[in-house]
Amino acid sequence: VTGEFDAIAAIRATLPGPPAGETWIGDDAAVVHAPRGDWLLLAADTMVAGVHADLSLTGLDDLGWKAVVSNVSDIAAMGGDPVHVLVTIAGPPGTDLLALYRGIASAAAAYGCPVVGGDLANANDLVVTVAITGVVEGAPVLRSGARPGDAIWVTGALGASAAGLRHYRSNAARAARHSELDELLRAHARPRAAVAEGRAARLAGATAMIDVSDGLAADLGHLAEASGVGFALERVPVAAGATLAEAMGGGEDYVLVFTAPDDRKVIRAFRGLREPERIGVCTGSSAERSLEGRPLVVSGWEHRW
Amino acid sequence: VTGEFDAIAAIRATLPGPPAGETWIGDDAAVVHAPRGDWLLLAADTMVAGVHADLSLTGLDDLGWKAVVSNVSDIAAMGGDPVHVLVTIAGPPGTDLLALYRGIASAAAAYGCPVVGGDLANANDLVVTVAITGVVEGAPVLRSGARPGDAIWVTGALGASAAGLRHYRSNAARAARHSELDELLRAHARPRAAVAEGRAARLAGATAMIDVSDGLAADLGHLAEASGVGFALERVPVAAGATLAEAMGGGEDYVLVFTAPDDRKVIRAFRGLREPERIGVCTGSSAERSLEGRPLVVSGWEHRW
């Protein structure tokens, strides 16, 4: 057990420092160059140990990684690029802050959004809150611009995170965890944010976009509701080893779903990236939610209040 | 008990909406006009019920107010102006989110920094995390620029918040709470951030500045350490009804402490505002921490890790 200021000094030593002229950790606020461009993107997400992550299955470093990536994914879902993050940790004395920060620092480095400040406070629960800034060239892609007739695309297969969690919960996978970490376990413990794909979707003329954090059905439902359209899905790409239910309702895949009127423009914009999959179409019946012609029961993760 | 999305809709109805072209609550990230100016300020602070606020003494609305004001104060301590806040709440089902948001919305309106986004998640503890953006014209005032010979100033009397907490803890004050809320109780429940004063200090050529959140002795100690100077205090303005110990170690006053080489420039810059008080001088002996010629024992709030 150590004091807050020693803990901050130890954390700071593990993180990159600011460029000349900027001030990051260690003052009342971080001072960063004002971003160029017309728009600043701002988002914040919280991860609660025991709610968003089972620490008997995955590590504190994985929790730190996911807390950053879930925010990066929010910026990606606007077609933007992440710039800086602030990390706030409330937790009990004895929490291995350096393990948590290993994951935070890895994700911040992977996505080019350094940690410039934050806060530490004591609480019984471990609560990791990340706030992020992002920038976007031109107009950001909102949830609300989809029109009837637009095609619906996803940037990858779905359900891997939920299937990974299922595997973690089996003892066999737990034993194999460190030596044979497969794609599904990794998808759950170390999800990726689709920043390049979000940018490509924006350049392809995407009319609306959202990231799949609560489940495809629920998140596409949010997009459809914000846009005032319905949707008819023809097929959904299910990750190898995952079930259709995991793909539709599992969440935390951080795949992007977007709508766009021009298929050829989409294919062109994604050259050099993994090709997105066209999964259906927006319809003019705003209440429509269907898969292969059958009504879809929408369920997804929701906190209780 | 309601769902997360209904709760968000209810909260959103209590908050002002965005100007044309901007998107606030309800998308993956908020879209705001990129701030003009050279520098963007970023900070985040967490308030944990039971640690930073005793909910048997003060209300959820007060906790919401304080969570915003502690962040505004961080921007003020750089000589900047707050622009936007993100509010993230982790807490148990049944938490009166609308009471909490009454305080958040009041503070956001009072300081001109609207809530543009955030997150809600379940946890056992109630943890309110606010992230803030700010702007500053010209150079921000860091903690590290104080030089030997600079005078030390505070923007108000100290100890009121700690004295207010002491009064709340007495039964008499608890009974009188709603009808006779005096200055001290208010200082504890509804502290103010010194934004205009921070701006004036910057214009007065302040060389270093910090807000008093952990106690004058501790926070001035952080400034002195960052600047490599010592300090000799001649006197400390104690709020009416507070003790010297409360002034030196109580914290949460959100008064600003700054250093500046030119007294007349300070007096001039604060015209129209409450005049700051000159409490001492920075010295070249970097280990010096004294009050009225006697060594000062520095103690202040620190979380345990």
Side-chain angles (χ1 to χ4, degrees):
Chain A
V1 174
T2 176
E4 179 181 351
F5 298 105
D6 287 340
I8 293 172
I11 288 168
R12 202 173 165 177
T14 70
L15 297 171
E22 297 198 351
T23 299
W24 292 358
I25 296 166
D27 217 301
D28 297 277
V31 181
V32 299
H33 288 104
R36 286 157 301 163
D38 290 336
W39 301 106
L40 182 68
L41 305 173
L42 299 170
D45 252 346
T46 286
M47 295 273 159
V48 182
V51 176
H52 296 86
D54 182 341
L55 292 181
S56 69
L57 301 179
T58 56
L60 271 175
D61 54 342
D62 297 325
L63 176 61
W65 170 278
K66 206 149 99 173
V68 171
V69 166
S70 70
N71 275 277
V72 172
S73 181
D74 284 328
I75 298 298
M78 311 298 288
D81 287 292
V83 182
H84 294 117
V85 294
L86 298 167
V87 176
T88 301
I89 297 169
T95 301
D96 187 349
L97 291 174
L98 292 183
L100 193 53
Y101 262 90
R102 267 199 304 280
I104 290 167
S106 301
Y111 292 98
C113 49
V115 178
V116 297
D119 194 19
L120 289 180
N122 288 145
N124 298 308
D125 293 327
L126 177 59
V127 179
V128 181
T129 305
V130 175
I132 193 165
T133 61
V135 287
V136 61
E137 295 166 37
V141 185
L142 306 180
R143 294 181 180 178
S144 52
R147 288 160 301 190
D150 287 351
I152 302 170
W153 300 80
V154 292
T155 59
L158 294 148
S161 175
L165 179 58
R166 170 165 52 82
H167 283 286
Y168 268 118
R169 285 180 174 150
S170 76
N171 285 320
R174 210 174 304 180
R177 189 179 149 203
H178 293 294
S179 56
E180 305 175 67
L181 195 68
D182 68 27
E183 218 23 53
L184 295 177
L185 296 180
R186 175 160 285 268
H188 181 70
R190 295 279 170 140
R192 280 167 297 195
V195 177
E197 290 82 353
R199 208 188 292 125
R202 177 170 54 75
L203 296 172
T207 50
M209 184 153 56
I210 191 168
D211 71 325
V212 179
S213 53
D214 294 331
L216 175 65
D219 288 314
L220 185 52
H222 297 319
L223 182 154
E225 200 182 351
S227 296
V229 298
F231 61 82
L233 300 182
E234 289 133 28
R235 61 201 182 81
V236 169
V238 178
T243 66
L244 179 62
E246 285 166 343
M248 295 306 292
E252 298 210 326
D253 284 316
Y254 302 111
V255 158
L256 301 177
V257 196
F258 65 92
T259 58
D262 184 338
D263 289 2
R264 279 171 309 177
K265 225 173 143 186
V266 171
I267 301 297
R268 210 159 46 229
F270 275 77
R271 254 179 221 155
L273 296 172
R274 183 196 165 129
E275 196 168 300
E277 301 205 42
R278 191 187 196 282
I279 63 169
V281 68
C282 297
T283 70
S285 329
S286 64
E288 182 173 3
R289 308 276 186 273
S290 70
L291 173 61
E292 293 173 357
R294 261 159 285 165
L296 191 63
V297 178
V298 174
S299 69
W301 177 260
E302 195 176 359
H303 292 277
R304 290 164 60 237
W305 290 96
Chain B
V1 174
T2 177
E4 179 182 350
F5 297 105
D6 287 340
I8 293 171
I11 288 167
R12 202 172 165 178
T14 70
L15 296 171
E22 297 198 351
T23 300
W24 293 359
I25 296 167
D27 216 301
D28 297 277
V31 180
V32 300
H33 288 104
R36 286 156 301 164
D38 290 337
W39 300 106
L40 182 68
L41 305 174
L42 299 170
D45 252 345
T46 287
M47 295 273 159
V48 181
V51 175
H52 296 86
D54 182 341
L55 291 181
S56 69
L57 302 179
T58 55
L60 271 175
D61 53 342
D62 297 325
L63 175 62
W65 170 277
K66 206 149 100 172
V68 172
V69 166
S70 71
N71 276 276
V72 172
S73 182
D74 283 328
I75 298 299
M78 311 299 288
D81 287 292
V83 181
H84 294 116
V85 294
L86 299 167
V87 176
T88 302
I89 296 170
T95 301
D96 187 349
L97 290 174
L98 292 183
L100 193 53
Y101 262 89
R102 267 200 304 280
I104 290 167
S106 301
Y111 293 98
C113 49
V115 178
V116 298
D119 194 19
L120 289 180
N122 287 145
N124 297 308
D125 294 326
L126 177 60
V127 179
V128 182
T129 304
V130 175
I132 192 164
T133 61
V135 286
V136 61
E137 295 167 37
V141 184
L142 306 180
R143 294 181 180 178
S144 51
R147 288 159 301 189
D150 286 353
I152 302 170
W153 300 80
V154 291
T155 60
L158 295 149
S161 175
L165 179 57
R166 170 165 50 84
H167 283 286
Y168 268 118
R169 285 181 175 150
S170 75
N171 285 320
R174 210 175 303 179
R177 188 178 150 201
H178 293 295
S179 57
E180 305 174 68
L181 195 68
D182 68 28
E183 220 20 58
L184 294 177
L185 296 179
R186 176 159 284 269
H188 180 70
R190 295 280 171 140
R192 280 167 296 193
V195 177
E197 291 83 353
R199 208 188 291 124
R202 177 171 53 76
L203 296 172
T207 50
M209 184 152 59
I210 191 169
D211 72 324
V212 179
S213 54
D214 293 331
L216 175 65
D219 288 313
L220 186 51
H222 297 318
L223 182 155
E225 200 182 352
S227 295
V229 298
F231 62 82
L233 300 183
E234 289 133 28
R235 60 202 183 79
V236 169
V238 179
T243 66
L244 179 62
E246 285 166 345
M248 296 304 293
E252 298 209 328
D253 284 316
Y254 301 111
V255 158
L256 301 177
V257 196
F258 65 92
T259 58
D262 184 338
D263 290 1
R264 278 171 310 178
K265 224 172 143 187
V266 171
I267 301 298
R268 207 158 51 227
F270 275 78
R271 254 178 219 155
L273 297 172
R274 182 196 165 129
E275 195 168 300
E277 301 205 42
R278 192 187 195 283
I279 62 169
V281 68
C282 297
T283 69
S285 329
S286 64
E288 182 173 4
R289 307 277 186 274
S290 70
L291 173 61
E292 293 175 355
R294 261 159 284 164
L296 191 63
V297 179
V298 174
S299 70
W301 178 259
E302 194 175 2
H303 291 277
R304 290 164 59 237
W305 289 97

